Amino acid sequence: MVDAHDTAERWIGGGVTAERDRTIQVASLRYFDAAQCAARIASALGGAPPAAGRLERHGLPGSAEPFAMLWRSPSETWVLAGSPAPIDALRRGLGTTEAAWLVDLSGGVLGIHLAGTRALAVLRRLGSSLSIPRLGEARTGRFADVTVTVAGWHADEYLLLVERVFYEHLVDWIRETLADLRLEDDR
Amino acid sequence: MSGFRLPEPHGTRIDRTRPIPFLFNGKVLAGFRGDTLASALLANGVRLVGRSYKLHRARGVFGCGFEEPNAIVDLVDGERRTPDVRATTLELTEGLAAQSVNCWPSVGLDFGAVLGAFAPFLPAGFYYKTFMWPDWHWFEPAIRWMAGLGRTSLAPDRDRYEEICVDADVAVVGGGIAGLSAAVAAAEAGAATTLLCAAPAAGGALGWRGDATVRALLAKAGRAGVTLLTRTVAFGVYDHGLLCATESLAAATPGTHGALRERLWKIRARSIVSAQGAFERPMLFPGNDRPGVMLAGAAEKYAHAHATACGRRAVIAANADSAYAVARSLRAAGIEIVAVVDRRPPESIGAHAEGVRCLAHHGIRQVIGGRGVRGCVVVDADAPGDRGERLDCDLILSAGGFAPAVHLHSQAKGRLRWLEDAAMFVPDGAAPGLHSVGACAGVFARSAALEHAAEVGRSLALGFTVPPPPVGGAGRSLASSRIPGVRGKIFLDLQNDVTVSDVSLAAAENYRSVEHLKRYTTTGMATDQGKTSNVNALVLMGEATQRAPAEVGTTTFRPPFAPVSFGALVGRRVGNRYRPLKRLPAAGWHAEHGALFELFGNWSRPAGYPRADESLESAAQREAETVRGAVGVFDGSPLGKIEIWGADAAEFLDLMYVGTMSSLAPGQARYGLLLNEHGVIVDDGVVARLGTGHFWVNTTSAGVERTAAAFEEWLQCEYPNLRALVTPVTSRWGNVTVSGPKAWATLATIGLDRRFAPETMQHMTIADGEFDGSPVRILRASFTGELSYEINVPVERTRDLLERVWAAAAPLGGCPYGIEALEILRTEKGYLHVGVDTDGTTLPGDVGFARGLERKRANFVGRRSLLRPAARNPGRSRLVGLKPADGRTRLPVGAQIANAPPPTATEGHVTSSHWSPTLRAPVALAMLARGAERLGETVGVHHLGQRIDAIVVATSWIDPEGKRLHG
């Protein structure tokens, strides 16, 4: 047995690739009123909490510090980044305000990119179609019997965010689904 | 191949160039690709295919689809065994091996058939009346042995099943012309449309007749983008437009395993259209269950679709105009139609068949032949006692009218109405979210069905008002096809052997509700769910109780419409995926150190670390002793962790916990009990204050989700004015707990700052620190009674910390310890384990928190309930310690405390019990009535007939003053 963070990272089947995002940093931005803290967030990161159900990506991938903001609930936005810098910047920008609060969840929430023309078919085999977002959307629902936040990351690409304790369980389901897609292709 | 195969052009569904051998009851037979097992058996001249459930009567193929009550087989392939499969819906595949069920030693020679001689003693509800003397248990084994149909395999199912969830604007169930018409219209109007078709190909009856309209509709469906799912059976309609269906993928190849066999579809549809058609109603006459008696429409389908003649000379027993179309069709196929014996008076007959003899107002009084029909005797309906006329035939077809398939409509809470002329129940308006079209709506005229279905599809797509169905076209039928006064056994429910006389008996015994009739007689309770019997049963019930069928009503239609395999329902939830398993962030480290993993609240955790030749129990003893004597290392990562933040966080936590959290200074921590509205303890843990408006809440490992959810619910629903935010962070933080007198020595070795030493960091305090560049949050709390440090570390550093701590602890004589050792340690201390020492009735005062309750002035959840007289009853059970009077017998958990052996009033029970390695004696906790007042009293502990005397003691055996907590 190996520890969760040491397991294999990439699985392919049925034209779909599932790959763990090794660098993703996740922080939960909590607030009572998004408008109250929008200015601070904007000055710290250059972006505001997204509208309900939306995913906002800022900065080009590969550029200095790209990050994304993902709506979770009326009082919560997740900030995703490829390095700790944007989250640190946001923490500094928020300062000691009583309007918003940042909780670093990095390491506790893991990311899996699901990409390929049949990525949607995989998601449909993991959970409710109502919980599958379109491009630029983010939804939290029950996939593989656990809570997963899914973001429509690119065309034919989704980012799945799952609590670390359920990571292996989710990966197990994804592996099985990819195997089934292969079986279906072989028929 | 026998002479029952018809020549071309018959056989629109079979491929005569692809012969397929198969096994039936060990005999090698052959069919064609496109055959069902039933059609292949009939083509091979096999008439006897099964035995009935109760009386083991000989039975043959009766229908051609889901209505089949008789042709039930087990599929056998090595260790793979699929029980109770309908031969009528099973596609023939290479190497298929089927066995008849409910017969021994063979279907031809079935010893169970002797029950037929005892049939008079086995009426409806016989098991309520017989086998009472001398004792039911004398008969029970034999009856249980005889009960049931097929046998399942005891080996694990190694095939694969999957589940898929999709959306649809319009989901159409049924691939006949009405379903096709609705789907095409909906799709052409722009709706995302899914069409579910149970058969391998869409088109329904017109499809296998080669109708041009079907071909045109199929082409249109393709162009319009209809998603067509064949071999897919919709079995249930649920709330909010959820339609569930099972798709049979390629039949499992014999001898191979691991194939994807079935797919469960969960379709969330804005609108559902039911186009499931109608089932043919059997005629009621004596001997109507003999092999060779079958539904007329089925015989027609076998002839046209599968080129199979079900007999050579047929008599058609009729109660509907459809009989004449079948007569024409079969006659054209070369099957001699001896006569149509029509139960209706001449004026009700609306069709005829050229060249076929028609006996109007007649019925069958007797079927000649046991294992196969050789003829029948027909009589005038007004003179059942006459000699009658014998008709020689080898096939009797039953055309008793139709029963629209209103299952999905009814599941969706649609109402039904009775059509007197056609003697059938049809939908009374649409059901919420579901509209019926075609025969299942009572629309039997082809052009009307096509037009109405198209209009429904279009209207649903465009949001227009859906037109009502133009019900009609089925002609006239009598409600009851039975001739009063004929003698003999007339079967209603062929699978469960329910007869007309059973219904009469139920009525005579004053059963009136159709639901009671169903349960008393078991009609409609077999695997076919009464698709051919229900309407006849309630008509007869009405006759017997002088009520119209509409007054009798129908039983409740519940999913599934057709049997669903457990495999399809389970899907991927097998093995490790049976339920989501939570894994420790450093599971590998524990495995490398010999951990024995067990499930605790869905967490896979080390129960202990048994060495070679050491049992888990002895390992737990050793580990507990090591913690008391030196140091133990424990992975507490599953411990629930929630951060509460906001200006009103302290006030909010005061409302949530029995303890007062607002009086904590930053850096201090306090134990708290969490109650529900009833005052019952639901969780416990430590609350620590990180800052003015910032708290760190530890919950039980299994309770964090429900605690966080409860916090959210109270905040959102009851206290929305409070400015507090709840964020669960269990996954973010690993937790390594170091406990024992050498705990600090261990941590000092790894370089932890001196300010964390027990002299400077008090018990029940929290402080932030650093470990190798990573932030750590250290809590001085203890569940062992020893000096303890709970070190919370960013989860990805858990293993690093464990390795460092272990490297320091091992030379000091330490060990890793698991849950079992922890249980011993906390029981020795009398520490409460919520869910083990408490149950759904335990209040804080029961476990020693009465003083805390009295002191707390602020309101909190559950407080009002604690003020009730029942909560303040001095006779309530209290948590106490128990020690066996002999000083050595371990008290069994769950054992009852009572003065006399059970059954008697119990005074309490043992909740936790262990052998204490430190005390070299057993220790136990118990809930005992008035326990706190009974210290020193000897009580009787009863377990499996044995009494053990035990002495009531205080709950803490070791260090009751708590000195060891401070190092």
Side-chain angles (χ1 to χ4, degrees):
Chain A
M1 186 185 286
V2 293
D3 293 335
H5 56 278
D6 296 327
T7 54
E9 311 281 351
R10 194 161 187 257
W11 308 272
I12 300 171
V16 178
T17 302
E19 184 166 14
R20 175 163 169 201
D21 188 328
R22 291 288 300 176
T23 60
I24 195 164
Q25 306 289 305
V26 183
S28 169
L29 177 63
R30 303 297 311 270
Y31 37 78
F32 300 102
D33 182 348
Q36 280 185 351
C37 54
R40 281 176 184 265
I41 295 165
S43 68
L45 280 179
R54 297 295 303 173
L55 163 79
E56 303 288 353
R57 300 184 65 191
H58 301 271
L60 294 172
S63 67
E65 302 295 351
F67 69 97
M69 299 180 91
L70 174 158
W71 185 90
R72 285 265 299 172
S73 78
S75 66
E76 184 175 23
T77 286
W78 273 5
V79 181
L80 314 177
S83 75
I87 292 170
D88 291 342
L90 180 57
R91 183 179 290 111
R92 285 194 300 275
L94 290 174
T96 56
T97 179
E98 290 192 357
W101 173 46
L102 194 70
V103 186
D104 193 351
L105 301 177
S106 301
V109 174
L110 303 183
I112 302 167
H113 287 274
L114 202 61
T117 52
R118 293 170 78 189
L120 178 61
V122 174
L123 282 181
R124 284 175 168 168
R125 284 162 170 79
L126 297 178
S128 167
S129 52
L130 297 176
S131 303
I132 300 174
R134 286 180 291 221
L135 181 62
E137 290 182 349
R139 293 190 190 178
T140 299
R142 185 167 169 263
F143 291 84
D145 293 344
V146 298
T147 302
V148 181
T149 297
V150 182
W153 201 246
H154 289 299
D156 293 331
E157 183 178 342
Y158 298 88
L159 172 63
L160 279 60
L161 297 160
V162 63
E163 265 197 87
R164 184 186 194 97
V165 290
F166 292 127
Y167 172 79
E168 281 193 46
H169 176 82
L170 178 63
V171 163
D172 194 10
W173 273 64
I174 291 172
R175 275 199 306 257
E176 285 293 305
T177 305
L178 298 183
D180 284 345
L181 290 185
R182 278 196 298 268
L183 281 175
E184 196 172 63
D185 290 345
D186 293 343
R187 279 204 302 137
Chain B
M1 191 90 26
S2 77
F4 290 93
R5 275 291 181 198
L6 296 168
E8 290 182 281
H10 295 93
T12 54
R13 289 287 187 245
I14 60 168
D15 180 354
R16 295 178 195 252
T17 66
R18 303 278 297 274
I20 295 177
F22 67 101
L23 276 173
F24 180 66
N25 288 334
K27 189 175 175 185
V28 180
L29 301 171
F32 290 122
R33 184 184 173 89
D35 263 324
T36 61
L37 175 61
S39 69
L41 289 172
L42 288 165
N44 281 276
V46 176
R47 292 289 175 268
L48 178 56
V49 295
R51 292 279 174 170
S52 64
Y53 178 69
K54 189 167 82 174
L55 301 177
H56 288 245
R57 286 172 68 95
R59 293 284 165 77
V61 174
F62 190 72
C64 60
F66 294 104
E67 76 283 9
E68 177 60 37
N70 291 342
I72 309 294
V73 297
D74 280 0
L75 299 183
V76 183
D77 170 28
E79 66 179 21
R80 177 197 282 147
R81 195 175 176 102
T82 311
D84 299 339
V85 179
R86 290 173 307 278
T88 50
T89 56
L90 179 67
E91 289 177 63
L92 202 63
T93 50
E94 190 92 28
L96 182 148
Q99 287 179 355
S100 298
V101 300
N102 201 36
C103 54
W104 185 83
S106 70
V107 70
L109 175 66
D110 177 21
F111 288 176
V114 72
L115 284 170
F118 299 97
F121 303 106
L122 303 170
F126 71 91
Y127 34 81
Y128 299 129
K129 304 168 182 170
T130 53
F131 305 110
M132 300 299 176
W133 183 88
D135 189 330
W136 155 254
H137 294 98
W138 285 29
F139 309 101
E140 187 183 2
I143 290 174
R144 290 205 184 283
W145 181 78
M146 295 183 74
L149 294 174
R151 285 189 297 118
T152 189
S153 170
L154 297 178
D157 185 348
R158 287 188 277 148
D159 290 327
R160 301 165 73 93
Y161 303 83
E162 70 169 15
E163 179 180 310
I164 186 166
C165 305
V166 295
D167 292 329
D169 292 332
V170 178
V172 181
V173 181
I177 56 159
L180 271 171
S181 178
V184 166
E188 286 180 341
T193 306
T194 301
L195 175 62
L196 284 72
C197 176
L206 290 179
W208 49 257
R209 287 191 181 106
D211 190 280
T213 308
V214 170
R215 285 198 298 274
L217 281 170
L218 280 170
K220 280 185 179 179
R223 287 195 297 273
V226 173
T227 303
L228 174 60
L229 302 175
T230 57
R231 298 184 174 91
T232 305
V233 182
F235 64 80
V237 173
Y238 301 88
D239 291 345
H240 310 299
L242 178 64
L243 177 69
C244 289
T246 47
E247 179 185 4
S248 296
L249 300 164
T253 307
T256 65
H257 290 283
L260 190 55
R261 288 188 74 181
E262 284 183 66
R263 179 178 291 142
L264 177 69
W265 285 86
K266 291 182 174 175
I267 302 168
R268 191 69 71 170
R270 193 160 52 82
S271 301
I272 299 171
V273 177
S274 175
Q276 287 191 294
F279 295 109
E280 195 157 29
R281 204 145 63 94
M283 297 291 289
L284 299 177
F285 52 83
N288 62 345
D289 68 323
R290 295 297 186 197
V293 178
M294 65 188 300
L295 296 174
E300 188 188 11
K301 180 180 179 184
Y302 287 125
H304 284 277
H306 303 290
T308 295
C310 297
R312 294 192 176 89
R313 283 172 57 84
V315 167
I316 303 180
N319 181 32
D321 290 347
S322 61
Y324 297 89
V326 172
R328 288 193 297 271
S329 174
L330 294 183
R331 191 158 176 258
I335 297 168
E336 183 185 348
I337 306 299
V338 179
V340 175
V341 182
D342 202 320
R343 177 65 184 79
R344 299 171 297 172
E347 62 272 20
S348 294
I349 299 172
H352 77 286
E354 195 69 37
V356 174
R357 184 184 176 202
C358 174
L359 294 165
H361 200 50
H362 275 62
I364 293 174
R365 191 184 67 191
Q366 182 190 356
V367 172
I368 300 163
R371 294 185 180 189
V373 170
R374 285 185 283 114
C376 62
V377 177
V378 299
V379 292
D380 187 292
D382 290 332
D386 282 0
R387 186 157 171 247
E389 178 186 353
R390 173 175 172 143
L391 301 176
D392 289 332
C393 60
D394 61 357
L395 179 65
I396 297 175
L397 301 179
S398 209
F402 292 97
V406 293
H407 302 67
L408 296 186
H409 169 84
S410 299
Q411 287 177 22
K413 306 297 177 201
R415 294 189 308 272
L416 299 174
R417 66 188 170 102
W418 175 253
L419 284 187
E420 194 63 43
D421 274 5
M424 62 175 67
F425 280 104
V426 297
D428 185 11
L434 183 144
H435 296 265
S436 298
V437 299
C440 71
V443 185
F444 284 84
R446 174 182 160 152
S447 59
L450 270 170
E451 283 173 24
H452 174 251
E455 199 53 43
V456 169
R458 199 161 27 247
S459 301
L460 291 174
L462 299 174
F464 296 162
T465 302
V466 175
V471 174
R476 304 182 72 174
S477 293
L478 299 174
S480 173
S481 58
R482 181 177 64 128
I483 296 179
V486 295
R487 296 176 136 197
K489 207 173 267 299
I490 304 174
F491 283 85
L492 270 178
D493 185 319
L494 294 179
Q495 198 174 129
N496 270 358
D497 280 334
V498 181
T499 62
V500 170
S501 59
D502 289 331
V503 176
S504 303
L505 178 69
E509 294 182 355
N510 215 24
Y511 283 87
R512 289 296 179 272
S513 161
V514 69
E515 296 285 2
H516 293 161
L517 170 80
K518 171 182 167 177
R519 285 155 182 80
Y520 188 61
T521 62
T522 72
T523 189
M525 292 175 69
T527 61
D528 63 339
Q529 289 285 285
K531 291 183 176 63
T532 57
S533 63
N534 284 345
V535 175
N536 278 338
L538 63 92
V539 165
L540 289 172
M541 185 66 171
E543 276 186 359
T545 55
Q546 293 79 50
R547 289 181 295 169
E551 291 177 80
V552 176
T554 62
T555 54
T556 305
F557 290 81
R558 295 187 180 90
F561 166 75
V564 181
S565 73
F566 282 110
L569 294 175
V570 168
R572 291 188 212 293
R573 295 174 190 84
V574 293
N576 284 339
R577 294 180 302 280
Y578 171 61
R579 58 182 172 184
L581 196 64
K582 296 179 178 177
R583 297 168 205 272
L584 294 173
W589 185 90
H590 298 290
E592 291 158 19
H593 289 78
L596 178 66
F597 287 89
E598 288 186 3
L599 279 184
F600 299 90
N602 274 10
W603 279 94
S604 174
R605 304 182 70 173
Y609 302 78
R611 295 170 179 164
D613 302 326
E614 196 177 44
S615 68
L616 176 58
E617 187 169 355
S618 52
Q621 293 285 315
R622 170 181 53 76
E623 292 165 15
E625 196 168 11
T626 304
V627 173
R628 290 267 182 256
V631 61
V633 180
F634 180 77
D635 191 336
S637 299
L639 199 65
K641 307 168 198 80
I642 302 171
E643 290 196 43
I644 314 283
W645 181 89
D648 299 324
E651 184 182 345
F652 171 67
L653 287 168
D654 280 351
L655 284 163
M656 293 296 105
Y657 280 94
V658 173
T660 302
M661 304 307 173
S662 56
S663 61
L664 289 170
Q668 289 185 331
R670 182 166 292 149
Y671 176 78
L673 284 176
L674 193 75
L675 314 184
N676 63 16
E677 303 92 312
H678 311 296
V680 171
I681 298 168
V682 291
D683 207 80
D684 69 345
V686 172
V687 177
R689 192 166 202 162
L690 298 171
T692 309
H694 192 184
F695 288 81
W696 172 266
V697 175
N698 280 153
T699 71
T700 58
S701 301
V704 63
E705 282 96 354
R706 65 170 179 264
T707 300
F711 284 176
E712 278 294 349
E713 186 176 346
W714 284 107
L715 268 176
Q716 292 184 28
C717 301
E718 298 296 330
Y719 305 114
N721 55 318
L722 292 184
R723 289 175 68 84
L725 294 167
V726 176
T727 306
V729 293
T730 305
S731 279
R732 158 66 176 159
W733 296 91
N735 177 300
V736 177
T737 296
V738 186
S739 189
K742 295 181 181 174
W744 172 246
T746 302
L747 296 178
T749 307
I750 70 167
L752 212 59
D753 194 287
R754 182 80 206 155
R755 66 191 169 95
F756 297 109
E759 307 87 65
T760 47
M761 184 181 188
Q762 301 297 306
H763 178 58
M764 297 305 275
T765 59
I766 192 167
D768 286 344
E770 193 180 292
F771 163 70
D772 274 0
S774 294
V776 290
R777 188 163 280 170
I778 300 175
L779 176 66
R780 278 281 320 277
S782 177
F783 289 93
T784 62
E786 299 297 324
L787 172 68
S788 288
Y789 289 86
E790 292 183 8
I791 309 171
N792 297 286
V793 62
V795 65
E796 64 274 13
R797 303 296 312 277
T798 310
R799 183 178 176 123
D800 298 337
L801 179 60
L802 264 173
E803 284 175 347
R804 288 281 299 277
V805 169
W806 175 240
L812 296 174
C815 73
Y817 66 101
I819 294 288
E820 294 298 330
L822 180 65
E823 287 293 305
I824 295 171
L825 293 162
R826 67 108 193 150
T827 303
E828 287 175 338
K829 281 294 294 177
Y831 288 159
L832 185 71
H833 187 172
V834 173
V836 172
D837 298 313
T838 69
D839 58 23
T841 65
T842 309
L843 308 179
D846 304 339
V847 292
F849 277 74
R851 276 204 316 170
L853 293 173
E854 300 300 332
R855 277 210 300 256
K856 183 162 180 174
R857 293 187 181 167
N859 192 19
F860 58 91
V861 171
R863 182 169 189 266
R864 184 193 61 81
S865 298
L866 298 178
L867 300 175
R868 292 173 304 157
R872 304 167 83 91
N873 181 349
R876 290 187 62 84
S877 290
R878 297 283 193 270
L879 187 70
V880 294
L882 282 184
K883 65 175 185 182
D886 64 7
R888 63 177 187 279
T889 305
R890 198 170 137 190
L891 303 174
V893 172
Q896 299 296 302
I897 304 168
N899 283 329
T904 185
T906 180
E907 291 190 289
H909 65 281
V910 178
T911 58
S912 298
S913 178
H914 297 279
W915 177 267
S916 165
T918 307
L919 301 172
R920 309 285 175 205
V923 292
L925 297 174
M927 292 299 288
L928 178 66
R930 297 177 292 102
E933 305 164 17
R934 299 170 68 174
L935 298 184
E937 185 180 323
T938 299
V939 295
V941 177
H942 298 270
H943 180 70
L944 300 177
Q946 182 193 5
R947 178 189 167 113
I948 308 165
D949 284 336
I951 301 164
V952 182
V953 296
T955 52
S956 185
W957 279 269
I958 290 177
D959 185 30
E961 303 83 15
K963 290 178 182 169
R964 299 174 69 94
L965 293 168
H966 307 290

